[in-house]
């Protein structure tokens, strides 16, 4: 026993040491980085602050691009941090930049680089045209300091301040004199058919000193900037004050030179703790208070549904029990008349079992992922962790999918077990992968940073066929071994004439409306988060998982109070025993309303232009609709 305890202790300590030393397993709040002045640095205290840049995205285009594509200043010794699977799937492309600062050394107007564009050089024309396109579509920078976004904070209505984790590369004044996007912030941006480049940034870094806390150095708690457009003529002696803005004419008639500069100041603030350094971004979010309205809206709807279901069931059961207790009651009525047909195999039982197996896999994956996210293990500071966790869980949950599918299929009396297992492992994932592959081809043709490298696609296929598919076969083995066929009447009972509301199609169409009402407000926030690619980064605008926690609460209410698991009872009360598909489709029809809302949002709210962006939006939307269809459909037949 002592040896076992000793071995277990060694194993635990080894595991803790490994997790603490492994940079891939980083939990915010456990690994802060300390910074010291240049002459006080050491292994435990860094002196240089490195600014990293991420891919650029836009609300008017679904195509994100890497930082280098826009011909900005590059780092002489460019370094790319190792990226996990989730970051690659998100389209994040983080790399080092020439913006490097010594801790507590203020810098005023330092030149980074100069970009010259010659009129007769075709390569320069192409680069400048691409930069103009970025300003016209309002592409945004995303800078990172100490694994924290550099935000642009500005005043909005009602005296509030909004902190945006990105800032535009420039803006445009159209040919008719209309200032677009960020050009409205400066009255000097008034020349028609002119682009204004934000070539200067004033960066302010706030730190918390460790002198009073007992640890060495200081820790960064905020990083903000203010973009400016300033025209400098001398790269060696830039002024960065006053003068005219950096203009780029709409017509490339003359040579253009752009000098990129920056200023940096340091400010001490010991009132902000390192563990709460993201809070100032969260407080500025305009949707913070509305999230509670979204939750209350979902709560009211699910309580209404639950009350309605309970009332119907109580009345029906009360009548049945009263009729059963009557001495002269000789014949069965209602749902008892079809007890011998209620487990009759449905049409297309193979397909239904496959859908339910895949739905089980998605449901367990979603539940575990949201649970870990709510606990803070998948914080936005741990970039890509959410998608990585979801993919790994999906791969490892092939066994439940195979088990549920095989057991139901055998219950239906099916004998083609090989076809059942192969469809469970390949059908729905194959549809998603085919859609994803086509979208990736478009991204690759457009040169977007969101295009998944070929090696990553091979790795995903290896996870799918090497782990998920074998686990599905393992689950199917136990499912076929466990299931027992159920007895049904040899002659199917005739179904009486149904009213309009009890017919399958009206019931399915109307059944998905109220559950969709539980989630449509949260769906608006998710779509409004303006990710680089829709649906792949739904918490991009939800720092500290504000929307993930709210979504988790609403999905829990959607599942716990969902009336559709009672659909078999309602259907059999009218002596209709075809409840398998009807129950699945009634809840799954919520996905159709999801698609309709996504289409409405695209045409009414988004400003996306271009055929490629439109195809990508609807392509990724169809993936989410299929996943949501399987997820909600499984809840009904679970």
């Amino acid at each position: 026993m002592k040896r076992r305890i000793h071995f277990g202790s060694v194993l635990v300590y080894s595991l803790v040491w490994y997790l603490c030393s492994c940079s891939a397993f980083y939990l915010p709040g456990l690994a802060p980085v300390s910074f010291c002045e240049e002459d006080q640095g050491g292994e435990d205290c860094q002196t240089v602050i490195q600014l990293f840049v991420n891919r650029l995205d836009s609300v008017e285009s679904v195509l994100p691009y890497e930082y280098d594509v826009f011909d900005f200043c590059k780092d002489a010794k460019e370094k790319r941090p190792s990226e996990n699977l989730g970051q690659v799937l998100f389209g994040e492309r983080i790399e080092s930049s020439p913006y490097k600062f010594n801790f507590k050394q203020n810098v005023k107007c330092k030149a980074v680089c100069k970009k010259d564009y010659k009129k007769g050089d075709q390569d320069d024309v192409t680069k400048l045209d691409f930069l103009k396109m970025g300003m016209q579509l309002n592409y945004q920078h995303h800078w990172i300091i100490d694994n924290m976004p550099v935000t642009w904070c500005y005043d909005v209505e009602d005296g509030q301040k909004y902190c945006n984790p990105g800032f535009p590369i420039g803006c445009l004044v159209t040919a008719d004199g209309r200032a677009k996007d960020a050009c409205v912030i400066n009255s000097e941006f008034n020349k028609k058919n002119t682009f204004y480049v934000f070539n200067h940034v004033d960066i302010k870094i706030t730190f918390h000193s460790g002198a009073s806390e007992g640890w060495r150095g200081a820790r960064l708690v905020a990083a903000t900037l203010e973009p400016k457009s300033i025209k400098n003529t001398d790269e060696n002696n830039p002024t960065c004050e006053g003068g005219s803005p950096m203009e780029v004419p709409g017509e490339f008639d003359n040579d253009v030179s752009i000098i990129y500069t920056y200023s940096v100041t340091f400010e001490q603030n010991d009132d902000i703790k390192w563990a709460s350094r993201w809070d100032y971004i969260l407080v500025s979010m305009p949707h913070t208070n509305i999230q509670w309205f979204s939750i209350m809206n979902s709560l009211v709807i699910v309580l209404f549904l639950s009350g309605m279901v309970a009332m119907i069931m109580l009345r029906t059961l009360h009548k049945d029990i009263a009729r059963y207790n009557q001495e002269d009651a000789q014949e069965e009525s209602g749902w008892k008349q079809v007890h011998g047909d209620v487990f009759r195999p449905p049409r297309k039982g193979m397909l239904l079992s496959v859908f339910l197996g895949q739905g089980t896999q998605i449901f367990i994956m979603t539940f575990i992922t949201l649970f870990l996210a709510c606990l803070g293990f998948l914080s936005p500071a741990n970039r890509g962790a959410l998608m990585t966790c979801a993919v790994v869980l999906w791969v490892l949950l092939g066994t439940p999918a195979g088990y549920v599918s095989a057991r139901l299929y055998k219950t239906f009396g099916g004998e083609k077990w090989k076809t059942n297992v192969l469809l469970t492992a390949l059908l729905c994932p194959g549809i998603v992968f085919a859609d994803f592959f086509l979208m990736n081809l478009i991204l690759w043709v457009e040169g977007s940073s969101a295009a998944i490298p070929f090696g990553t696609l091979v790795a995903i296929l290896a996870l799918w066929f090497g782990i998920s598919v074998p686990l599905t076969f393992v689950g199917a083995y136990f499912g076929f071994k466990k299931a027992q066929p159920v007895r049904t009447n040899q002659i199917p009972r005739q179904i009486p004439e149904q009213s309009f509301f009890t017919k399958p199609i009206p019931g399915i169409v109307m059944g998905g409306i109220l559950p969709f009402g539980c989630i449509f407000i949260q769906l608006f926030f998710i779509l409004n988060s303006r990710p680089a690619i829709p649906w792949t980064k739904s918490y991009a605008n939800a720092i500290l998982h504000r929307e993930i926690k709210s979504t988790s609460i609403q999905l829990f209410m959607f599942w716990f109070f969902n009336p559709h698991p009672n659909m078999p009872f309602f259907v059999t009360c009218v002596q209709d025993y075809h409840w398998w598909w009807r129950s699945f489709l009634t809840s799954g029809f919520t996905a159709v309303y999801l698609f309709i809302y996504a289409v409405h949002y695209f045409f009414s709210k988004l400003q996306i232009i271009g055929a490629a962006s439109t195809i990508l939006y609807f392509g990724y939307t169809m993936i989410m609709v299929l996943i949501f269809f399987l997820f909600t459909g499984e809840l009904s037949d679970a």
Side-chain angles (χ1 to χ4, degrees), residues 76-198:
K77 298 180 180 180
E78 188 175 280
K79 299 179 180 179
R80 289 182 178 269
S82 58
E83 297 176 336
N84 55 42
L85 179 62
Q87 288 179 287
V88 176
L89 295 177
F90 276 163
E92 293 192 358
R93 300 294 184 266
I94 301 176
E95 59 188 72
S96 61
S97 73
Y99 298 89
K100 298 178 177 66
F101 324 117
N102 291 323
F103 181 68
K104 293 185 69 173
Q105 290 187 9
N106 295 338
V107 176
K108 185 175 182 181
C109 196
K110 181 177 180 179
V112 183
C113 72
K114 181 181 180 181
K115 295 293 182 178
D116 295 317
Y117 301 96
K118 304 296 183 180
K119 178 183 176 181
D121 192 326
Q122 185 59 40
D123 186 43
D124 288 346
V125 173
T126 302
K127 292 179 180 179
L128 189 60
D129 286 342
F130 197 84
L131 182 64
K132 292 179 181 178
M133 182 275 296
M135 289 185 283
Q136 184 176 1
L137 297 180
N138 194 25
Y139 270 83
Q140 305 275 319
H141 282 286
H142 294 282
W143 290 2
I144 303 168
I145 287 180
D146 190 27
N147 202 32
M148 181 175 53
V150 183
T151 58
W152 176 31
C153 298
Y154 51 88
D155 295 329
V156 293
E157 54 186 20
D158 299 331
Q160 297 181 352
K161 180 172 288 188
Y162 175 70
C163 292
N164 186 3
F167 67 97
I169 64 178
C171 60
L172 165 67
V173 176
T174 61
D176 57 359
R178 181 172 59 90
K180 289 186 59 180
D181 303 318
C183 278
V184 300
I185 65 176
N186 194 334
S187 59
E188 295 184 1
F189 299 162
N190 51 24
K191 188 175 294 187
K192 296 181 180 180
N193 194 24
T194 302
F195 296 87
Y196 294 90
V197 183
F198 291 139

Side-chain angles (χ1 to χ4, degrees), residues 2 70 154 193 284 336 440 444 448 478 626:
K2 290 183 179 180
F70 288 93
Y154 51 88
N193 194 24
S284 72
K336 295 187 291 295
N440 195 66
W444 178 73
S448 172
F478 290 101
L626 175 61

Side-chain angles (χ1 to χ4, degrees), residues 294-316:
S294 175
I295 295 176
M296 293 304 299
N297 170 75
S298 301
L299 180 61
V300 169
I301 292 177
V302 296
L303 289 178
F304 170 74
L305 289 174
S306 303
M308 180 179 65
V309 172
M311 181 183 64
I312 295 174
M313 292 188 67
L314 287 176
R315 288 190 61 183
T316 305

Side-chain angles (χ1 to χ4, degrees), residues 446-474:
E446 295 291 334
S448 172
S449 65
I452 308 301
F454 178 76
T456 304
L457 290 177
V458 173
I460 293 175
L461 289 174
L463 291 174
W464 179 14
F465 287 97
I467 300 178
S468 180
V469 172
L471 289 177
T472 304
F473 275 84
V474 172

Side-chain angles (χ1 to χ4, degrees), residues 293-305 509-524 554-555 557-558 562-564 587 589-591 593-594 597 628 632:
F293 170 76
S294 175
I295 295 176
M296 293 304 299
N297 170 75
S298 301
L299 180 61
V300 169
I301 292 177
V302 296
L303 289 178
F304 170 74
L305 289 174
V509 173
M510 292 185 295
I513 295 177
L514 288 177
F516 177 75
C518 298
I519 60 172
F520 86 95
I521 293 181
Q522 188 66 26
L523 180 62
F524 170 80
Q554 293 175 81
L555 284 178
M557 292 188 296
F558 178 86
N562 190 3
H564 293 138
S587 185
F589 204 80
T590 308
Y593 291 107
L594 172 68
Y597 186 82
F628 198 73
T632 54

Side-chain angles (χ1 to χ4, degrees), residues 544-596:
L544 294 180
H545 288 242
R546 168 176 49 86
E547 288 176 359
I548 280 185
K549 293 179 180 179
S550 177
T551 304
S552 302
I553 295 173
Q554 293 175 81
L555 284 178
F556 171 76
M557 292 188 296
F558 178 86
W559 169 71
F560 189 78
F561 296 103
N562 190 3
H564 293 138
N566 301 298
M567 185 59 64
F569 176 76
F570 297 141
V571 174
T572 54
C573 280
V574 293
Q575 302 179 30
D576 183 357
Y577 48 83
H578 297 307
W579 63 273
W580 290 98
W581 272 111
R582 185 168 177 178
S583 179
F584 182 88
L585 294 176
T586 300
S587 185
F589 204 80
T590 308
V592 177
Y593 291 107
L594 172 68
F595 177 74
I596 294 174

